[in-house]
Amino acid sequence: LPGSYEVKSNGKTTIIESIDSDGTIFLKKNNHLIYEDIPKILSLDQKNHSFILERETSSNYNELYQFYQQYYKGIKVEGGSFLVKFDCEQNEMIYISPHVYGLLDFDVKPTISAATALKKHIGISNQIKVEDVSLIISNKIEDRSRLVYDVILKNTTLPHIQIDTNSGELLPQQNN
């Protein structure tokens, strides 16, 4: 998105001041941008992509930082998010720093159940305990998005694993 960019919101036009090399989008003063406009600016399909406010932090300079987590068809996208810096005194957004995944286009229904996947890789063990299993979209393996079971284990040397929900494959661990 080089140069300026216009977004219609509440009958007003917002102009993007600039886009930094890291993707941070700086907004002009009096930008009138509202939260609902952000997916449009990020060129995301609003039917399938959503964001949920996960946390916010205030600064001593009357600024508010809001961190939003990305979801695709209701499933959390690992690493997908954006940060908004908000000027509380002027009541407007200053910048949006996105790290989102926009080229997602697949079914989010697993073909293998979590129980089947866990049994295949953990078996029946009295030692290893499953602490948590969640369905997420991971982008860590082979630079492609896939639906996985994100599993947290107890009493094992490998406390965190991911299992592909379609193949049942145990995915290799990545250094974060």
Side-chain angles (χ1 to χ4, degrees), residues 110-128:
T111 57
I112 297 172
S113 72
T116 300
L118 288 169
K119 187 174 183 182
K120 178 179 178 181
H121 294 289
I122 298 172
I124 301 172
S125 171
N126 293 331
Q127 301 294 330
I128 300 174

Side-chain angles (χ1 to χ4, degrees), residues 36-96:
E36 289 78 13
D37 294 328
I38 294 173
K40 285 187 250 178
I41 289 175
L42 300 177
S43 300
L44 295 174
D45 169 11
Q46 295 177 10
K47 179 180 153 200
N48 293 318
H49 292 270
S50 60
F51 295 88
I52 295 178
L53 178 64
E54 281 214 339
R55 65 183 177 276
E56 56 185 21
T57 306
S58 299
S59 77
N60 292 334
Y61 302 103
N62 213 12
E63 298 166 336
L64 179 66
Y65 296 87
Q66 297 178 316
F67 178 83
Y68 290 86
Q69 174 62 52
Q70 181 181 8
Y71 288 81
Y72 175 72
K73 295 183 180 179
I75 307 293
K76 181 178 180 176
V77 178
E78 184 176 42
S81 62
F82 67 82
L83 174 73
V84 173
K85 182 177 178 182
F86 192 82
D87 182 332
C88 297
E89 192 172 295
Q90 298 298 318
N91 195 30
E92 67 182 9
M93 291 183 201
I94 298 170
Y95 69 71
I96 305 162

Side-chain angles (χ1 to χ4, degrees), residues 141-159:
I141 311 301
E142 301 167 358
D143 290 329
R144 71 180 180 101
S145 301
R146 60 168 83 182
L147 191 62
V148 301
Y149 292 115
D150 195 55
V151 184
I152 307 298
L153 302 170
K154 283 187 173 182
N155 304 328
T156 180
T157 57
L158 193 62

